[in-house]
Amino acid sequence: PQINLPQAWDVTTGANVIVAVVDTGLVFSHPDLQGQWVAGYDFIKDPVNAGDGDGIDPNPEDVGDNPDGGSSFHGTHVSGTLAAATNNAVGVAGIAFGAKIMPLRVCGRTNCTDYDIEQAIRFAAGLANDSGTAPPRRADVINLSIGGPGFTPGSQAVYDQVRAAGVIMVAAAGNDGVSEMNYPAAFAGVIAVGAVDINKALAPYSNFGSWVSVVAPGGNLSQDVNGDGKPDGVLSTATSDGSGALVNGYAVWQGTSMATPHVAGVAALMKAVAPSLTPPRFAELLTSGALTDDLGASGKDDQFGYGLINARKAVTAVGGGSGGASRVIDSSLLNFGINAGIMTSAP
């Protein structure tokens, strides 16, 4: 409700849209993600980092990032926010539950390298890449809930090429609570996402600055403003391997990683309504205020960018009707906060 999502669902749920999730891969056995993904790829080049016995391969299954247990399965949490199966009497609702996830694995046991990430986004865009293959259909949107310091012209050129191919890229601003630029979010042409709490205040961990484009719900686990007995984070699909076996369930996390799929999901809803929507047009609508509720100082500001993403306004902006008229990047820098615990699925 904070981003007027139910009203947007009156118009679209994101059907016929593909969102690439460039992350740790996906736990394919999770019950709330069944039928929600298309084929992806594992772009971790270093076999030691990959932890699955080889380098790049066609299987983006998340084998965990900690061989001793306690793996993050970060990409599964992000993917659930984006497109968890919905109206199935199980778990959570995805932002664009009519869309499909393209899992692209780039973060392994030790790190997520710039090179692997760039190969993955090239694949997602249908451009030449180390796999020697391309997806049957390129992604419409790329979610990058990853980040770290450092800019290179070569990397900027790759992101320019992906954007020119027509793919909207959305990335996490980072969780250090500072204004220093975080990449890939700060690359030109990428939508940088900060996080707000349940009160629409900037989350204390969220990075900020003139390079941040927009904010979305990211949670704050130190609060329970709504009094439901749970921390005010983002609940999504999760997996645990702490017991030595995979246990699928749900977990409440905080972070700009959690905010990012809210924006990527809204972009997917927009693409479902307007398949010809281009990255420049998306940026134009964002800067005009057509996709957000303004927060903080009037217009764009360093705390909230152009404001809080508004799903109803966004689908309306691209012709979706009134929307509601009926009602080397270190893996330690994955942009998520405290895991508030796994709530396991019922048998």
Side-chain angles (χ1 to χ4, degrees):
Q2 191 176 47
I3 62 170
N4 288 322
L5 190 56
Q7 294 90 337
W9 285 336
D10 288 340
V11 179
T12 179
T13 63
N16 300 315
V17 175
I18 296 174
V19 182
V21 177
V22 179
D23 214 293
T24 64
L26 189 66
V27 176
F28 293 121
S29 63
H30 200 291
D32 219 4
L33 295 172
Q34 298 308 299
Q36 296 303 103
W37 44 271
V38 298
Y41 218 89
D42 179 351
F43 280 97
I44 302 177
K45 188 174 182 179
D46 177 12
V48 175
N49 185 24
D52 61 357
D54 57 21
I56 68 170
D57 63 69
N59 182 8
E61 174 89 20
D62 190 345
V63 299
D65 49 22
N66 186 343
D68 299 320
S71 296
S72 71
F73 299 106
H74 185 268
T76 296
H77 196 279
V78 169
S79 294
T81 298
L82 263 168
T86 301
N87 296 330
N88 60 346
V90 174
V92 295
I95 302 295
F97 58 88
K100 301 295 185 185
I101 298 156
M102 178 191 292
L104 299 175
R105 185 170 182 248
V106 299
C107 298
R109 296 277 171 88
T110 58
N111 57 42
C112 331
T113 70
D114 289 334
Y115 184 85
D116 293 348
I117 294 166
E118 289 163 17
Q119 292 303 306
I121 65 172
R122 290 183 63 84
F123 176 90
L127 302 174
N129 63 87
D130 283 355
S131 75
T133 65
R137 186 186 137 197
R138 71 158 173 79
D140 300 288
V141 181
I142 296 175
N143 188 100
L144 295 145
S145 288
I146 51 182
F151 169 88
T152 68
S155 291
Q156 179 66 71
V158 174
Y159 287 87
D160 290 343
Q161 291 164 7
V162 171
R163 188 173 191 259
V167 184
I168 298 168
M169 295 176 288
V170 185
N175 300 324
D176 301 308
V178 297
S179 62
E180 282 78 7
M181 291 182 175
N182 194 64
Y183 296 90
F187 282 122
V190 178
I191 306 301
V193 184
V196 294
D197 65 14
I198 197 170
N199 291 321
K200 301 183 182 180
L202 191 69
Y205 55 79
S206 181
N207 287 356
F208 55 90
S210 60
W211 54 279
V212 173
S213 312
V214 64
V215 292
N220 183 347
L221 297 183
S222 69
Q223 300 175 326
D224 181 16
V225 173
N226 61 6
D228 65 355
K230 299 181 181 68
D232 293 335
V234 176
L235 178 66
S236 188
T237 49
T239 300
S240 170
D241 62 359
S243 66
L246 288 183
V247 178
N248 290 316
Y250 302 87
V252 179
W253 289 358
Q254 69 178 13
T256 56
S257 271
M258 286 62 257
T260 300
H262 285 79
V263 178
V266 170
L269 297 178
M270 294 169 67
K271 286 288 289 189
V273 171
S276 62
L277 179 68
T278 64
R281 179 58 178 158
F282 181 91
E284 180 182 309
L285 290 168
L286 180 62
T287 58
S288 74
L291 311 183
T292 57
D293 295 326
D294 194 20
L295 297 177
S298 181
K300 188 175 189 294
D301 62 73
D302 289 355
Q303 299 295 305
F304 304 100
Y306 290 101
L308 176 65
I309 195 72
N310 182 318
R312 178 193 59 80
K313 287 178 67 174
V315 297
T316 301
V318 290
S322 60
S326 64
R327 336 159 262 165
V328 114
I329 297 176
D330 190 311
S331 59
S332 67
L333 295 177
L334 285 169
N335 289 311
F336 68 105
I338 301 165
N339 184 339
I342 299 289
M343 290 156 282
T344 56
S345 302

